[in-house]
Amino acid sequence: MAELVLVTGGSGYIAGWCVAELLERGYDVRTTVRDPGRARSVTDAVSTVADPAGRLSFAVADLTSDEGWEAALKDVDHVLHVASPLGNTSGGDPDALIAPARDGALRVLRAATAAGVRRVVMTSAANAASPSSYATEGVTDETLWTDPDDPTLIPYRRSKTLAERAAWDFMDGYDGPTELTTVLPGAVFGPVLTTENIGSVGIVARMLSGEMRGIPRIGLEVVDVRDLVDVHIRAMTSPAAAGQRFLATGEFVWMAEMAQTLREELGAAAGRVSTRVVPDFAVRLAARFKDRSLRDITPALGRRNRHSTEKARTLLGWQPRPARTTVVDCARSLIAHGAVRT
């Protein structure tokens, strides 16, 4: 009988790929959805990679509520906690994002430990293992924790850091068979299964559509969603992964390099992609007076903070693909799914 893996938030970009790849590798999968009406779209999406017939089931559960989690964890062997609750910080309340992420992680862990699952693999973020203010450049590893008390920290980074901290603190006080491992990805790109929820892939979509008329001096550690799923499954199955954090970042590239790659590889299909780099001062001015959404990226302008993935490569045998391949595959997938008009 195949092992049963629970994936939280199956309608999400990363979670959808987790569901598909687990099915492809022979696991039975249960995934949570907040709305039972999303089950059909999830099934259709993963069907492009693997046959879910008889091996994919759904549980209705929300990270902001205790209801449904006991049933979701029944008979489960492993958990991939990928979902993160949506928060709205437009009202100026940073806790709108932080509390749901932290409390959601604890909800999943309480249910998983009560059910006696073998291991929970939780998706954190490389930003939870980074210099808090971006002021320090260089290469960091899993031994570094972002300082959540830094007042300059944006809510997303604080929420990811505090959620992972809460998870490890919970496990420190737990005495039982369930193990925890966390995976800390960089900027996730790659092919899409559906256009309903594309996450960070929206950056490439905006480039292709011409919406991004200028490119800020932002550098990203690009990791392919397929490689990210692979490291999650390796972390789930490797005895050496128990109780460990694993950075899962990829090659560092500037957004301008991504744009240039699209122009070189896609030809006419990338005709609307701008390669014009916007000066830092212009981005800061726009963030202050025109587009408040830019405020979260201004601390990273021109910074080259990088992370070491030596631990994942050594202990798990993980080998991510080149960023160029990921960016091109991402763009071609978006075009094929009709997500952008070229």
Side-chain angles (χ1 to χ4, degrees):
M1 185 174 179
E3 292 182 331
L4 177 61
V5 182
L6 177 74
V7 179
T8 62
S11 60
Y13 176 49
I14 299 171
W17 270 104
C18 286
V19 171
E21 185 60 25
L22 285 164
L23 290 169
E24 181 68 8
R25 298 192 190 193
Y27 292 94
D28 288 342
V29 181
R30 181 182 299 151
T31 189
T32 62
V33 288
R34 290 181 297 170
D35 177 1
R38 300 299 300 274
R40 171 48 57 187
S41 63
V42 174
T43 301
D44 291 344
V46 302
S47 295
T48 62
V49 175
D51 182 6
R55 296 190 298 121
L56 175 61
S57 59
F58 293 86
V60 178
D62 190 321
L63 290 173
T64 62
S65 169
D66 291 335
E67 187 176 353
W69 287 105
E70 181 180 354
L73 270 297
K74 182 176 175 59
D75 299 324
V76 167
D77 296 293
H78 305 284
V79 176
L80 298 187
H81 176 38
V82 184
S84 185
L86 298 176
N88 183 1
T89 59
S90 60
D93 178 13
D95 210 44
L97 187 62
I98 295 166
R102 179 188 58 225
D103 297 347
L106 292 175
R107 236 172 224 110
V108 171
L109 281 173
R110 290 189 189 104
T113 52
V117 307
R118 298 181 206 170
R119 185 174 297 171
V120 176
V121 179
M122 174 179 164
T123 310
S124 182
N127 277 334
S130 302
S132 299
S133 65
Y134 288 104
T136 304
E137 296 191 12
V139 180
T140 57
D141 62 19
E142 295 88 351
T143 61
L144 178 68
W145 277 90
T146 299
D147 178 9
D149 296 324
D150 186 329
T152 68
L153 217 60
I154 63 174
Y156 172 78
R157 292 188 65 196
R158 183 174 284 114
S159 72
K160 282 295 188 181
T161 303
L162 289 175
E164 188 188 351
R165 275 287 193 190
W168 286 116
D169 288 345
F170 174 87
M171 294 304 292
D172 284 343
Y174 164 75
D175 183 18
T178 302
E179 300 166 336
L180 175 66
T181 301
T182 56
V183 174
L184 289 66
V188 187
F189 295 95
V192 298
L193 298 176
T194 174
T195 58
E196 288 188 16
N197 191 345
I198 60 175
S200 55
V201 170
I203 292 173
V204 176
R206 290 183 62 209
M207 286 182 174
L208 290 170
S209 66
E211 292 178 41
M212 193 176 293
R213 298 180 181 179
I215 309 297
R217 284 201 320 130
I218 297 291
L220 303 171
E221 291 173 297
V222 173
V223 62
D224 195 291
V225 66
R226 295 163 292 187
D227 296 331
L228 180 57
V229 170
D230 177 60
V231 78
H232 273 75
I233 297 174
R234 290 172 183 264
M236 181 183 82
T237 57
S238 170
Q244 300 292 328
R245 304 174 90 199
F246 289 98
L247 279 159
T249 54
E251 183 182 354
F252 181 95
V253 294
W254 296 102
M255 287 179 62
E257 293 176 310
M258 292 172 57
Q260 187 62 41
T261 293
L262 295 175
R263 294 292 292 267
E264 293 171 356
E265 296 290 337
L266 299 182
R272 296 182 182 180
V273 175
S274 172
T275 57
R276 180 179 66 88
V277 177
V278 181
D280 295 351
F281 78 87
V283 177
R284 291 190 175 98
L285 282 174
R288 185 174 180 181
F289 297 109
K290 292 182 179 181
D291 187 351
R292 294 174 63 90
S293 67
L294 294 173
R295 291 185 177 184
D296 286 353
I297 72 168
T298 55
L301 290 170
R303 298 295 182 186
R304 193 181 170 85
N305 298 106
R306 289 158 294 152
H307 298 84
S308 170
T309 57
E310 184 61 28
K311 186 175 178 180
R313 293 170 188 265
T314 302
L315 289 185
L316 304 180
W318 184 59
Q319 185 63 48
R321 68 199 76 196
R324 189 179 186 94
T325 300
T326 297
V327 171
V328 172
D329 286 355
C330 178
R332 287 176 173 156
S333 176
L334 287 167
I335 294 169
H337 281 80
V340 291
R341 289 181 297 177
T342 59

